[in-house]
Amino acid sequence: MTPRVTLYGRAGCHLCDDAREAILALLAEGVSLELREVDIEADERLHAELVERIPVVEVEGSIVSELVLDVQALRSRLHTVAA
C-alpha cells in the first residue's frame, strides 16, 4: 500500500511551499507516498480550523506535523504505515 500524505495549505504560504518541497524530496529519494494537496481557502470549515496551523501534514488521516514540517516524524509515520 502506498501511504497517502495530505498537505493542507494555501497559496502564498512559504511554510507550505517548504513542506511541499521537502515531501517532493522524499519522493525523489524513492520514498513511497501519494501526495494530495488541499487548499484550505476552498473550504470555509478547513480554513477556520487550520489557517493558524498550516502547513498541516497528515499520513492516512493522522496529523504528523503542523506549522513547520517535521521530516523525521513524517518518515517515521510513513515507515509505520508501509510496514
Side-chain angles (χ1 to χ4, degrees):
M1 172 183 108
T2 302
R4 176 182 284 175
V5 175
T6 304
L7 170 61
Y8 294 93
R10 67 179 183 177
C13 168
H14 73 282
L15 293 175
C16 301
D17 295 339
D18 292 347
R20 180 183 313 100
E21 288 176 22
I23 294 167
L24 293 175
L26 290 175
L27 275 169
E29 289 176 17
V31 174
S32 178
L33 64 90
E34 173 191 336
L35 177 59
R36 176 177 168 249
E37 293 190 57
V38 176
D39 181 354
I40 65 167
E41 297 289 335
D43 182 309
E44 288 182 32
R45 183 189 60 80
L46 282 178
H47 184 269
E49 181 181 332
L50 301 177
V51 69
E52 294 182 11
R53 298 166 45 199
I54 58 172
V56 174
V57 177
E58 288 183 349
V59 175
E60 294 297 326
S62 296
I63 294 175
V64 296
S65 186
E66 297 181 12
L67 295 175
V68 176
L69 178 62
D70 182 340
V71 176
Q72 278 306 111
L74 176 56
R75 282 182 186 273
S76 178
R77 181 68 179 139
L78 288 169
H79 179 72
T80 301
V81 170

